[in-house]
């Protein structure tokens, strides 16, 4: 569990950081057990999808070359393929082995949601974790050997870290933010949509806080940092090295590093300007939520509450960010169900 024990000494005249939340309540463990059950039960029974077969083909290529050659035209980062490679090495050539890491990542995301009780009332974290645990989309794609579960895990971790940095300025927040952003970059090029939505959500939050403050009011300036510049340098360097390591095939394929920026041109051409066969109307996500994804649809309705004062600041930010992400994805013509 994320801990505050390794944080740097507090800055002079700054308030001490809060005491760590401690053990999870029994109800949280029950929800975690439910999340694991829904994601692991009969994991290998569903026939493999075409995309899972393609990912398996890439893993077979890795056995021959010794690394994954990153192709910016695939629109997916390399991290997922290395995880699947080691899963098959450990558990054998089986579709359940390919899906197992994603199932565990989905359950880990529920656990991370419960850690938000450092910023939010426990009842809010409980219902959010339960909604995520039983969400049809989250359950389905956590039982599916494609990239999306890693993207969600990185977002939940990175936003937790950013909130920790803003409210308490701890080294733990620095590490969590860096780890979350690094995982996003390693997973899928659509991380730029989320980073842009996060930035716009923060600007909107600052404006709302001035007009109608949240409760308790969210400080408009970050807390004094409880980590040194040396910590910041080391964390940034570690994240950069990890990104370069994976995108260069463990430094065995440095020529593929240019794909880090070339992928955006290919992605823009497919998602916006070309006819890929996956073009959907603006309201496509709302249609899916109304038909299948009721937990997310309920969350979207409740996010309107962010316009009025009284919400905790972090919850208000999450509501604005979630709605902004939905609008951003809706504006892109290219839409596939797993992006939900």
């Amino acid at each position: 569990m994320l801990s505050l024990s390794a944080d740097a000494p507090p800055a002079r005249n700054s308030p001490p950081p809060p005491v760590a939340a401690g053990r999870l309540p029994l109800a949280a463990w029950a929800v975690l057990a439910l999340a694991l059950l829904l994601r692991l039960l009969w994991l290998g029974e569903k026939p493999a999808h075409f995309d899972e077969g393609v990912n398996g083909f890439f893993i077979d290529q890795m056995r021959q070359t010794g690394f994954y050659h990153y192709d910016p035209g695939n629109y997916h980062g390399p991290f997922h393929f290395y995880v699947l490679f080691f899963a098959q090495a450990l558990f054998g050539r089986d579709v359940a082995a390919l899906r197992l890491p994603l199932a565990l990542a989905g359950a880990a995301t529920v656990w991370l949601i419960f850690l938000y009780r450092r910023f939010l009332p426990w009842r809010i974290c409980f219902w959010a974790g339960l909604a995520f645990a039983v969400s049809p989309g989250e359950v389905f794609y956590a039982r599916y050997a494609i990239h999306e579960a890693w993207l969600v895990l990185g977002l939940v971790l990175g936003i937790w870290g950013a909130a920790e940095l803003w409210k308490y300025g701890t080294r733990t927040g620095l590490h969590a933010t860096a780890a979350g952003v690094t995982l996003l970059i390693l997973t899928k090029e659509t991380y730029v949509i989320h980073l842009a939505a996060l930035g716009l959500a923060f600007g909107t939050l600052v404006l709302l806080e001035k007009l109608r403050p949240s409760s308790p009011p969210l400080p408009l300036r970050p807390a004094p940092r409880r980590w040194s510049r040396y910590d910041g340098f080391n964390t940034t360097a570690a994240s950069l090295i990890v990104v370069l390591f994976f995108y260069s095939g463990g430094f065995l394929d440095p020529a593929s590093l240019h794909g880090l920026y070339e992928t955006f041109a290919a992605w823009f051409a497919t998602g916006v300007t070309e006819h890929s066969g996956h073009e959907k109307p603006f309201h496509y996500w709302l249609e899916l939520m109304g038909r299948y994804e009721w937990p997310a649809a309920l969350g979207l309705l409740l996010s309107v509450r962010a316009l009025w004062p009284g919400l905790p600041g972090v919850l208000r930010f999450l509501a604005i960010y979630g709605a902004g992400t939905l609008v951003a994805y809706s504006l892109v013509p290219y839409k596939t169900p797993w992006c939900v």
Side-chain angles (χ1 to χ4, degrees):
M1 180 179 291
L2 294 170
S3 170
L4 295 178
S5 59
D7 289 327
R12 182 176 296 180
N13 298 325
S14 66
V19 177
R23 295 182 179 179
L24 288 177
L26 216 58
W29 290 110
V31 173
L32 282 171
L34 175 64
L36 276 170
L37 183 68
L38 292 175
R39 286 155 177 79
L40 294 176
L41 200 62
W42 301 307
L43 189 59
E45 294 301 309
K46 184 178 67 175
H49 185 272
F50 172 80
D51 288 341
E52 293 179 301
V54 171
N55 291 343
F57 168 73
F58 288 143
I59 295 171
D60 288 342
Q61 287 186 319
M62 290 172 67
R63 288 195 181 93
Q64 299 173 13
T65 62
F67 59 87
Y68 171 71
H69 172 70
Y70 174 66
D71 180 358
N74 286 335
Y75 318 121
H76 297 91
F79 175 76
H80 178 65
F81 300 107
Y82 285 95
V83 174
L84 298 193
F85 178 86
F86 284 109
Q88 277 205 348
L90 289 173
F91 304 112
R93 189 179 173 84
D94 182 76
V95 68
L98 286 181
R99 294 169 178 167
L100 178 62
L102 283 305
L104 297 178
T109 306
V110 177
W111 171 73
L112 279 174
I113 289 173
F114 289 144
L115 295 191
Y116 276 73
R117 63 197 177 126
R118 277 179 64 78
F119 322 114
L120 300 171
W122 163 242
R123 70 181 187 280
I124 292 175
C125 298
F126 172 78
W127 287 111
L130 179 61
F132 193 94
V134 302
S135 157
E138 295 298 341
V139 171
F140 185 88
Y141 291 111
R143 297 171 57 89
Y144 191 12
I146 59 174
H147 294 67
E148 271 62 31
W150 298 118
L151 193 76
V152 179
L153 179 64
L155 285 166
V156 175
L157 176 60
I159 295 173
W160 186 97
E164 178 75 12
L165 267 180
W166 188 266
K167 294 201 70 174
Y168 307 124
T170 65
R171 186 191 297 170
T172 301
L174 173 69
H175 292 166
T177 304
V181 173
T182 301
L183 182 56
L184 294 180
I185 296 172
L186 291 174
T187 298
K188 206 169 182 185
E189 77 295 326
T190 48
Y191 71 86
V192 297
I193 292 179
H194 293 277
L195 294 183
L198 286 167
L200 292 172
F202 180 75
T204 305
L205 177 67
V206 170
L207 179 62
L208 278 177
E209 287 295 310
K210 292 179 178 179
L211 299 174
R212 297 178 175 182
S214 55
S215 178
L218 186 72
L220 296 182
R221 292 192 176 188
R225 59 183 175 89
R226 311 176 70 84
W227 44 274
S228 67
R229 292 180 181 177
Y230 183 74
D231 294 325
F233 173 80
N234 283 345
T235 304
T236 304
S239 296
L240 181 61
I241 290 171
V242 169
V243 169
L244 295 178
F245 175 85
F246 278 100
Y247 274 94
S248 67
F251 303 120
L252 297 174
D253 185 28
S256 63
L257 284 175
H258 56 75
L260 271 166
Y261 59 87
E262 287 182 347
T263 186
F264 295 110
W267 169 60
F268 184 82
T270 300
V272 179
T273 61
E274 292 183 0
H275 296 287
S276 63
H278 290 294
E279 288 75 22
K280 306 289 193 309
F282 179 88
H283 58 80
Y284 178 70
W285 304 121
L286 294 175
E287 181 183 340
L288 285 190
M289 289 181 184
R291 186 179 299 178
Y292 305 111
E293 191 54 59
W294 294 353
L298 178 61
L300 179 63
L301 290 174
L302 293 176
S303 69
V304 179
R305 177 72 175 79
L307 296 175
W308 284 268
L311 280 186
V314 173
L315 183 61
R316 197 179 208 186
F317 172 76
L318 288 169
I320 297 169
Y321 158 69
T325 304
L326 175 62
V327 172
Y329 270 84
S330 298
L331 288 171
V332 178
Y334 183 95
K335 296 179 176 70
T336 51
W338 49 85
C339 292
V340 75

